[in-house]
Amino acid sequence: MIIGGDGYCGWPTALHLSNKNYEVAIVDSLVRRLFDHQLGLDSLTPIASIHNRLRRWKSLTDKNIQLHIGDICDFEFLSETFKSFEPDCVVHFGEQRSAPYSMIDRSRAVFTQHNNVIGTLNVLFAIKEYGEDCHLVKLGTMGEYGTPNIDIEEGFITINHNGRTDTLPYPKQASSFYHLSKVHDSNNIAFTCKAWGIRATDLNQGVVYGVRTDETEMNEELCNRFDYDGVFGTALNRFCVQAAVGHPLTVYGKGGQTRAFLDIRDTVQCVELAIANPAQRGEFRVFNQFTEQFSVNELAALVTKVGKKLGLDVDTISVPNPRVEAEEHYYNAKHTKLIELGLKPHLLSDSLLDSLLSSAIKFKDRVDTNQIMPSVSWRKIGVKPKTVPA
């Protein structure tokens, strides 16, 4: 069962697992598409409706993916899907995934925490009630850890304190209401593993880039979404679109912010590895799901270099940082557990950047340049509901 299977990570994962002969059901409220309508946004790539996507997949592969449209915050709906599909594994992508979205106004902050925390709590209760042996593979975020001045371990850290030693959950320093929702999820999951014997893998994923996987390339109706706006677009994807339309690359502040990154093809590979090697009953595992680390300035330099090869004139500007974060800091995160399970990473190469930039150039007529600059301020968030002007 893939919750959030219509989204940026969920859709390619659903296709990949179906292609690997897993029986797949997508559970999705389609609210991500509603956000686009509400905020006046659109994917760079044209994306088909979920029904047309699944019909096309069936016609190409003769494989059927079940579809359950509804909100997992509605426990009655979630119960029915659990009872009808009887999942061996739940892959939970079904959360509001944008830090800026959670910082637009009070109502979006509350929505984010309610949707994410209550949704995950409902999934945990559904597993306890209807499928005690079901393995939860939950998408977390590297953002749970913040940017501490020590190495980031995978979920747990061994501490010596006043002559005693213990292995404890790694300290969390979330930087938005979205990231905080993920921290709350991790705590709830860890508790239910201990209390109820749930088996769970928390995948603390870095920033994802790319748009293509083997399966989404099979037909244009299977194409994945590609967000470039200031609310849902991720750093590298945004830079590629900015370069394609001749907009200066928007580096926030000093640009020394360093984060963990991975290719969308590795997202689907990591999920497959977690499913094939499930946690034990009562075990709460944490994998740091990324392949490389880059600063924002390093990403801008890479896009500039590859853009010039394609004949693009790429400039970079520093814009006032809308976030509250360190702009120069130490960052060294461990990520060995998925490699040990067999992850074969797709590292960021000139050829991948060439492909991303070429995609952006292909669809550049679909770019709304009004959506490129950041419009959400961490410090100015207020209680008044914000509506985007027409």
Side-chain angles (χ1 to χ4, degrees), residues 234-265:
T234 55
L236 186 58
N237 286 358
R238 273 170 58 72
F239 283 173
C240 288
V241 170
Q242 289 166 9
V245 298
H247 190 289
L249 307 188
T250 53
V251 169
Y252 294 176
K254 293 176 182 172
Q257 303 93 315
T258 301
R259 297 291 184 268
F261 288 82
L262 79 164
D263 189 303
I264 187 84
R265 292 172 293 180

Side-chain angles (χ1 to χ4, degrees), residues 216-372:
T216 64
E217 284 290 274
M218 288 165 63
N219 184 278
E220 62 184 17
E221 276 197 298
L222 302 179
C223 187
N224 197 9
R225 66 178 308 121
F226 187 110
D227 299 304
Y228 64 88
D229 59 86
V231 177
F232 288 100
T234 55
L236 186 58
N237 286 358
R238 273 170 58 72
F239 283 173
C240 288
V241 170
Q242 289 166 9
V245 298
H247 190 289
L249 307 188
T250 53
V251 169
Y252 294 176
K254 293 176 182 172
Q257 303 93 315
T258 301
R259 297 291 184 268
F261 288 82
L262 79 164
D263 189 303
I264 187 84
R265 292 172 293 180
D266 291 338
T267 294
V268 302
Q269 198 187 154
C270 289
V271 172
E272 185 190 358
L273 286 167
I275 293 168
N277 302 276
Q280 302 300 308
R281 283 297 297 271
E283 182 186 10
F284 174 65
R285 300 189 301 188
V286 181
F287 296 164
N288 289 347
Q289 181 167 306
F290 72 96
T291 56
E292 296 176 277
Q293 295 179 178
F294 298 101
S295 72
V296 175
N297 285 330
E298 286 168 339
L299 289 180
L302 287 167
V303 172
T304 300
K305 182 182 82 168
V306 176
K308 286 198 168 137
K309 281 188 197 163
L310 292 175
L312 298 172
D313 187 15
V314 186
D315 292 322
T316 298
I317 52 168
S318 170
V319 302
N321 194 344
R323 303 182 177 219
V324 177
E325 62 186 0
E327 293 178 5
E328 294 171 312
H329 56 86
Y330 177 79
Y331 197 82
N332 185 40
K334 307 288 176 64
H335 57 115
T336 58
K337 293 181 183 176
L338 283 158
I339 301 287
E340 286 162 9
L341 287 181
L343 173 64
K344 294 183 171 50
H346 295 82
L347 300 181
L348 185 57
S349 61
D350 285 5
S351 62
L352 184 276
L353 273 174
D354 189 312
S355 155
L356 258 183
L357 280 162
S358 298
S359 284
I361 291 165
K362 178 182 174 184
F363 292 113
K364 71 177 190 177
D365 290 346
R366 290 176 51 86
V367 174
D368 177 358
T369 52
N370 294 323
Q371 304 299 343
I372 288 177

Side-chain angles (χ1 to χ4, degrees), residues 190-226:
F191 169 70
T192 56
C193 288
K194 195 182 293 183
W196 303 340
I198 298 245
R199 55 173 90 220
T201 303
D202 206 4
L203 299 174
N204 281 342
Q205 182 168 258
V207 182
V208 187
Y209 59 82
V211 68
R212 297 175 175 175
T213 61
D214 289 347
E215 291 80 15
T216 64
E217 284 290 274
M218 288 165 63
N219 184 278
E220 62 184 17
E221 276 197 298
L222 302 179
C223 187
N224 197 9
R225 66 178 308 121
F226 187 110

